[in-house]
Amino acid sequence: MTIGELAERTGMTVRNIRAHQTRGLLPPPDVRARTGYYNEEHVARIELTRELQAEGLNLEAIRRMGESVNGAAEEIHNLTRSLR
């Protein structure tokens, strides 16, 4: 899906999606012919980021968690379950 489709699906703005990428919260899209394509992992990361923010974590803490488990949404989710 394109960034516009990702924005529509997740309820985020394109601007915020790009900001999340810049902060290291989202992996880069697969780029083909100058167009970035996003997948279900990107959707899962956005949803997980929202969930963790609702629990009181700031974006930097979420980014660090992603780094510590190689960024997969499922691995981050497992880590947060363990911490709880």
Side-chain angles (χ1 to χ4, degrees):
M1 70 190 88
T2 64
I3 194 166
E5 293 167 333
L6 179 63
E8 185 176 314
R9 176 139 177 225
T10 60
M12 280 185 86
T13 65
V14 169
R15 181 179 179 184
N16 282 344
I17 291 170
R18 287 194 174 119
H20 274 49
Q21 283 179 261
T22 300
R23 289 183 177 121
L25 295 165
L26 282 177
D30 179 32
V31 178
R32 289 175 267 157
R34 295 183 50 185
T35 301
Y37 290 94
Y38 299 81
N39 57 38
E40 294 303 315
E41 177 66 22
H42 293 95
V43 174
R45 288 287 295 270
I46 289 170
E47 290 172 353
L48 180 60
T49 298
R50 283 189 174 142
E51 181 182 319
L52 295 173
Q53 281 185 292
E55 292 182 19
L57 290 166
N58 65 33
L59 294 177
E60 179 60 17
I62 296 168
R63 183 192 64 76
R64 287 182 184 179
M65 288 176 75
E67 277 184 355
S68 71
V69 292
N70 298 322
E74 184 62 29
E75 291 179 35
I76 297 169
H77 211 23
N78 291 339
L79 176 62
T80 58
R81 281 189 205 131
S82 297
L83 292 173
R84 285 186 207 129

